[in-house]
Amino acid sequence: HVGRPPPSEALRDSATRIDEQLARAWALVFAGRSKDALAVIEPAVRAAEAAGHGPTKAQAKLALATAYSRLDRAEEAERAAFEAVWLA
């Protein structure tokens, strides 16, 4: 995990699952499959928001911003990037 660790074991487990989802999503983004990556990233973002761990939410929002950017969805990319920076 990047940043401060989640405070409880349950949150650490959740953050680990989200990190694994995001690793798959980044692989898809870098393979040029950003649309497929969104199908992985969007649930990861929802899970990160539900977990409430700022660093995990920031990582998820950064992945979302990158995928949106590669799909020429500039407004959504900008919003997600701003949220990622704000959370970091």
Side-chain angles (χ1 to χ4, degrees), residues 19-57:
D19 287 347
E20 290 167 355
Q21 288 177 288
L22 293 175
R24 287 191 301 278
W26 280 112
L28 290 167
V29 167
F30 292 132
R33 297 175 51 198
S34 294
K35 187 172 182 180
D36 294 331
L38 279 180
V40 177
I41 296 168
E42 289 170 338
V45 168
R46 287 191 296 273
E49 289 172 342
H53 181 244
T56 302
K57 290 192 293 186

Side-chain angles (χ1 to χ4, degrees):
H1 310 292
V2 176
R4 67 188 183 285
S8 71
E9 186 173 337
L11 275 178
R12 282 190 295 275
D13 291 345
S14 178
T16 297
R17 285 190 299 277
I18 294 164
D19 287 347
E20 290 167 355
Q21 288 177 288
L22 293 175
R24 287 191 301 278
W26 280 112
L28 290 167
V29 167
F30 292 132
R33 297 175 51 198
S34 294
K35 187 172 182 180
D36 294 331
L38 279 180
V40 177
I41 296 168
E42 289 170 338
V45 168
R46 287 191 296 273
E49 289 172 342
H53 181 244
T56 302
K57 290 192 293 186
Q59 290 176 36
K61 291 288 185 168
L62 178 61
L64 184 63
T66 303
Y68 281 151
S69 177
R70 293 196 178 203
L71 292 169
D72 294 324
R73 293 169 63 175
E75 188 174 309
E76 293 161 299
E78 182 180 2
R79 183 174 32 255
F82 177 80
E83 292 173 6
V85 169
W86 187 81
L87 288 163

